Amino acid sequence: MTTNSQGTSKRAVKAVIPAAGLATRFLPATKAVPKELLPVVDRPVLQYIVEEAAAAGITDVLLVTGRGKTSMVDHFDRRPDVEQRLEDKGDRRRLEAVRRTSELADIYTVRQGEPLGLGHAVGTAASHVGQEAFAVLLGDEFVDEEEPLLPAMLDLQQETGGIVLALLEVKPEETSRYGIASVEATDKSDIVRITGLVEKPSPEEAPSNLALIGRYVLPGKIFEAIADTKPGSGGEIQLTDAMATLLADGTPVHGIVYRGHRYDTGMPLGYLQTVVELAVKRDDLGDEFLAWLTEFVGGRKG
């Protein structure tokens, strides 16, 4: 861990986005198009995530990709031909939107040769990240831009130098879908001290209803823990197991309980819900879309 002259750790400025999965739940749509580029109205899911990172002060984003996913990098590249066409048409709004994608952050890539789990995916970032703290943002979920989460996580990690996780209260019957944390209260609202992590427990075995969601801020020493982690659930190298190793070795682990709105596009239903929710919020089409949606739903009920 690197510290500055004041003795505090350096605030993370790099993010890793694991995005090498096959997205079989979305086939055949994802046979040729990465799930991360499926549009939510007129922006792909991945852009929302990179925008979330950039808004928190992240300037360096590493995409962990797989076979057939080079178009994710292309999305953040310049398109002079498209820009010229929009400029000739005088379409300033779309021109600025297209240019903005290449200005959000410096985008880098690394290939995950085999889908061996989230821990393995994060581990491929070791040479790029080094020993600095960094954020991990899963590639199928993001939070409402008006209710940010990542800045508070980065600030807390800078203060503690350990691991900071994002937590969400879930229904007891949903614990088997998530990693669940054992926690102790702190003197700060919505910040808890994590004492244990359990991967996808049954409701009867879950130590709490606080689930890990797809945001992590990790110290550089996580890479050594990942390298020493044996395959676990599903025969994969689990990030949860590597974090549990650091916890057992005395690394402080804290969680921030998120009270804002989280969009989860990892399943078809959640993806469709996200599209509808964000379309309704749009100034340029929300009123008209909501009127149609209300009429459509009313007609279905009839």
Side-chain angles (χ1 to χ4, degrees):
M1 178 181 69
T2 300
T3 59
N4 59 28
S5 58
Q6 285 73 42
T8 57
S9 61
K10 182 180 177 182
R11 193 176 193 267
V13 294
K14 293 184 179 182
V16 175
I17 302 179
L22 298 176
T24 54
R25 294 185 181 93
F26 285 85
L27 287 171
T30 51
K31 180 181 178 182
V33 178
K35 179 184 70 173
E36 295 81 7
L37 291 187
L38 294 179
V40 176
V41 189
D42 56 4
R43 280 185 283 169
V45 172
L46 183 60
Q47 183 174 330
Y48 283 92
I49 296 168
V50 174
E51 287 174 346
E52 181 184 336
I58 297 291
T59 58
D60 178 309
V61 174
L62 179 71
L63 303 178
V64 181
T65 68
R67 184 177 294 107
K69 293 207 166 189
T70 55
S71 55
M72 290 193 301
V73 183
D74 293 340
H75 177 73
F76 296 97
D77 203 354
R78 292 291 301 272
R79 279 295 302 270
D81 55 334
V82 173
E83 293 173 23
Q84 188 62 55
R85 173 66 69 88
L86 293 171
E87 191 161 3
D88 292 344
K89 291 172 62 177
D91 193 340
R92 299 297 306 178
R93 183 178 66 83
R94 288 189 174 85
L95 176 60
E96 291 172 3
V98 168
R99 283 179 174 167
R100 184 169 183 270
T101 60
S102 63
E103 298 169 349
L104 290 170
D106 295 326
I107 305 294
Y108 303 91
T109 63
V110 64
R111 288 285 290 268
Q112 183 185 17
E114 298 179 78
L116 298 178
L118 178 58
H120 180 264
V122 172
T124 64
S127 61
H128 182 83
V129 172
Q131 289 302 304
E132 303 291 346
F134 66 104
V136 174
L137 295 83
L138 298 193
D140 53 14
E141 59 184 271
F142 54 95
V143 302
D144 193 315
E145 62 184 7
E146 297 177 359
E147 302 172 292
L149 169 63
L150 195 54
M153 296 182 67
L154 294 172
D155 290 344
L156 181 58
Q157 198 283 331
Q158 182 181 18
E159 177 186 336
T160 66
I163 295 171
V164 177
L165 306 176
L167 302 174
L168 187 72
E169 291 183 336
V170 298
K171 298 176 182 178
E173 60 269 24
E174 295 178 335
T175 59
S176 61
R177 294 170 46 196
Y178 298 93
I180 301 295
S182 304
V183 303
E184 296 175 347
T186 70
D187 58 0
K188 296 181 180 179
S189 176
D190 289 336
I191 295 178
V192 295
R193 185 175 298 103
I194 293 176
T195 59
L197 298 168
V198 182
E199 189 68 26
K200 299 179 180 179
S202 66
E204 297 76 23
E205 297 175 334
S208 75
N209 70 330
L210 293 175
L212 276 64
I213 56 175
R215 297 293 179 268
Y216 313 76
V217 186
L218 305 170
K221 60 184 177 181
I222 191 68
F223 294 119
E224 183 177 348
I226 290 172
D228 292 337
T229 299
K230 301 294 188 293
S233 176
E236 298 180 337
I237 297 173
Q238 300 293 341
L239 181 60
T240 302
D241 293 340
M243 293 191 297
T245 297
L246 292 188
L247 174 62
D249 289 343
T251 299
V253 183
H254 292 85
I256 296 181
V257 182
Y258 183 58
R259 306 293 182 184
H261 191 84
R262 164 181 172 255
Y263 299 100
D264 186 355
T265 65
M267 301 282 281
L269 178 59
Y271 169 74
L272 292 172
Q273 290 169 333
T274 298
V275 172
V276 171
E277 289 181 46
L278 291 180
V280 168
K281 292 178 66 174
R282 289 277 293 255
D283 292 336
D284 57 342
L285 54 79
D287 290 344
E288 186 176 355
F289 177 64
L290 181 59
W292 172 84
L293 186 63
T294 302
E295 181 180 351
F296 174 77
V297 173
R300 294 272 295 187
K301 288 181 177 179

